[in-house]
Amino acid sequence: IRLTGETRDWVVVIGATDVRVEGDDQERVFAIAPGPDGRYVIEVAGSTLVGTVAIDGDTVWVDVEHDVYQFRVPPPGGASTARDVDALTPPMPATVVRVNVKAGAEVEAGDVLVVLEAMKMELPIRSPRAGRIVSVECREGDLVQPGHVLVRV
């Protein structure tokens, strides 16, 4: 599987109990086991981390030790999943603490569109690409769940 992050690509091989990530001229092997409360225990380079994963269509969010990473996972065969509109949703239940855009605004890839708070940490929701905001479907103070559309780009 090739994962495309905000600034780079990785090749990911998923095994029964581990994940091998190749990119940046490096290879990392993560041993993964089910952990407490539906989370995963991840061991890498002698360190143990606890993380969660949320998946919505071809978007995967990985939260490891309060760092949240967003990836797009293309379908097998490399077919494009590009859409005219990207609907951005939260990776976990959260509260909207800041909305930085309005419908019609032009944004660049990586711009912070909405800031969420979950488990006492801030989660910036960034634009996956340059474009125009089609709609904003949340307000400050809203409690949102995975699958709830926050912003359409």
Side-chain angles (χ1 to χ4, degrees):
I1 299 172
R2 178 172 297 279
L3 297 179
T4 303
E6 210 170 281
T7 59
R8 60 180 78 98
D9 288 342
W10 296 272
V11 174
V12 178
V13 178
I14 301 174
T17 59
D18 66 2
V19 174
R20 190 177 82 234
V21 179
E22 299 172 3
D24 300 336
D25 298 326
Q26 297 180 22
E27 178 177 288
R28 297 173 194 90
V29 178
F30 300 83
I32 299 174
D37 306 324
R39 294 180 290 169
Y40 296 92
V41 175
I42 304 160
E43 293 183 22
V44 60
S47 297
T48 300
L49 307 170
V50 176
T52 57
V53 175
I55 300 171
D56 182 22
D58 64 356
T59 303
V60 178
W61 288 273
V62 179
D63 170 15
V64 178
E65 301 287 311
H66 305 297
D67 289 325
V68 178
Y69 303 92
Q70 178 179 347
F71 302 95
R72 292 229 183 248
V73 181
S80 173
T81 59
R83 294 166 282 194
D84 292 331
V85 176
D86 285 301
L88 305 178
T89 62
M92 63 186 70
T95 301
V96 177
V97 294
R98 192 167 51 251
V99 178
N100 294 337
V101 293
K102 294 182 181 183
E106 292 287 332
V107 296
E108 296 296 323
D111 285 355
V112 176
L113 308 177
V114 176
V115 178
L116 305 175
E117 182 180 288
M119 301 185 311
K120 298 185 181 185
M121 66 179 175
E122 286 195 348
L123 305 170
I125 302 299
R126 298 178 183 275
S127 179
R129 60 183 171 82
R132 181 181 307 272
I133 301 298
V134 175
S135 64
V136 177
E137 302 181 25
C138 64
R139 295 185 307 238
E140 290 180 11
D142 284 356
L143 179 60
V144 292
Q145 301 292 323
H148 176 95
V149 174
L150 302 169
V151 177
R152 294 181 193 274
V153 180

